[in-house]
Amino acid sequence: LDPNRLFIVEQDGRILVRKNGAILPTPFLDIGGLVSCCGERGLLSLAFHPDYEANGRFFVNYTNGAGNTVVARYQVSGDPDVAAAGSGTVVLTVAQDFANHNGGQLAFGPDGYLYIGMGDGGSGDDPNERAEDDGQLLGKMLRIDVNAATYVVPPSNPFAGPGNPLDEIWAKGLRNPWRFSFDRGTGDLYIADVGQSAREEVDVQPAASVGGENYGWDIFEGALCHEPTPPATLCPGPPTGYTFPVLEYDHGQGCSITGGFVYRGCRMPDLRGTYFYSDFCTAFVR
């Protein structure tokens, strides 16, 4: 933890460092030549390895020139304010169907594994039915162990084992979880999932979860029936086998949720344990 530095991820492919109140002239990393920008594409996230102080590794999530999601590992150089630009190693590539719903968030969980938020592949209404398909990585939360040459699947993943070729999947039924976070106090996972035309939602996975939750898209949008096939008896819910949001709001209030952190600071003790989130369209903070 370095309280004097703030790392700023820019969609066009640069990561800047704000140090002691000023932006340094040399970017920490510039991979603009690898990145397809903009809209919902671009350099979308940065995550430092939990042992960054010892190993200097960090990970980025970006959309490449072909429009596909890439998770890559980089190394800091001898200068702590500049990465080794040639150190990039692709960890995972996921083909995208369309230019939107790229997800993009990376975060290390309390378990030390890397979590990756994947959108459903885009367009509208999940036309290729990715989010509910266990044979696709789109529309999922992934969990991988990056303490290897590229990565391995944690044996405790819910679909790990023979006969499950995509055992990176940790949870499913997500539309575009482009921002999620872990509560530093409890380890609970808060997922802000952007809705279609009616509802925005926050899903919470308790720290004790063993994974495998189905958050319902595209059969449900929030707790509303969206595409009740198969079968129609799923609606109205909540049916067995689906995890509904802990919070949702309609499009009279906003149209694209942006999560969000549980506050664990000391300056405002009355707000400790409160989850804060925003909305891209109406710019409120709640």
Side-chain angles (χ1 to χ4, degrees):
L1 178 64
D2 184 348
N4 299 310
R5 292 192 299 171
L6 177 68
F7 290 79
I8 302 167
V9 178
E10 294 193 320
Q11 198 174 358
D12 64 3
R14 298 194 308 166
I15 301 174
L16 308 181
V17 179
R18 185 177 186 270
K19 187 174 183 179
N20 297 321
I23 300 293
L24 299 184
T26 302
F28 179 68
L29 181 69
D30 187 346
I31 56 170
L34 303 176
V35 172
S36 176
C37 184
C38 291
E40 295 182 24
R41 292 174 166 178
L43 176 60
L44 301 176
S45 188
L46 160 69
F48 292 98
H49 192 282
D51 294 326
Y52 179 77
E53 187 174 0
N55 62 29
R57 292 181 176 182
F58 64 94
F59 296 79
V60 294
N61 185 319
Y62 65 88
T63 315
N64 67 12
N68 299 322
T69 290
V70 173
V71 176
R73 183 185 72 233
Y74 281 84
Q75 193 83 24
V76 71
S77 72
D79 180 348
D81 295 325
V82 180
S87 65
T89 298
V90 172
V91 173
L92 177 69
T93 301
V94 180
Q96 293 282 353
D97 294 332
F98 301 94
N100 59 334
H101 302 182
N102 282 198
Q105 176 76 46
L106 298 178
F108 281 92
D111 52 17
Y113 296 133
L114 183 65
Y115 289 71
I116 306 165
M118 295 298 306
D120 66 5
S123 189
D125 300 304
D126 193 7
N128 294 328
E129 303 296 336
R130 304 301 197 191
E132 292 292 326
D133 184 351
D134 293 342
Q136 299 288 333
L137 294 180
L138 296 172
K140 311 296 193 299
M141 184 68 68
L142 312 182
R143 186 177 80 147
I144 60 175
D145 182 351
V146 292
N147 292 307
T150 52
Y151 76 92
V152 296
V153 172
S156 54
N157 271 15
F159 305 107
N164 294 308
L166 297 181
D167 42 11
E168 298 92 342
I169 296 171
W170 177 250
K172 67 179 185 178
L174 295 164
R175 185 174 179 271
N176 194 27
W178 76 288
R179 288 295 178 258
F180 63 87
S181 64
F182 290 92
D183 182 343
R184 292 182 295 164
T186 66
D188 297 337
L189 172 59
Y190 284 72
I191 306 168
D193 197 17
V194 178
Q196 172 82 19
S197 57
R199 312 292 282 187
E200 304 299 305
E201 69 182 77
V202 177
D203 301 302
V204 176
Q205 184 187 70
S209 170
V210 296
E213 285 88 347
N214 186 341
Y215 294 108
W217 177 255
D218 68 336
I219 296 171
F220 298 97
E221 182 182 0
L224 300 180
C225 295
H226 179 75
E227 186 179 288
T229 55
T233 53
L234 285 173
C235 293
T240 302
Y242 294 86
T243 300
F244 275 16
V246 299
L247 179 148
E248 56 184 306
Y249 60 92
D250 63 35
H251 280 195
Q253 302 174 65
C255 72
S256 178
I257 191 169
T258 305
F261 294 91
V262 175
Y263 177 69
R264 292 293 175 188
C266 299
R267 290 193 178 186
M268 300 179 290
D270 291 347
L271 294 176
R272 294 196 76 197
T274 301
Y275 178 71
F276 286 88
Y277 64 98
S278 185
D279 189 277
F280 181 79
C281 301
T282 49
F284 62 66
V285 175
R286 296 177 177 174

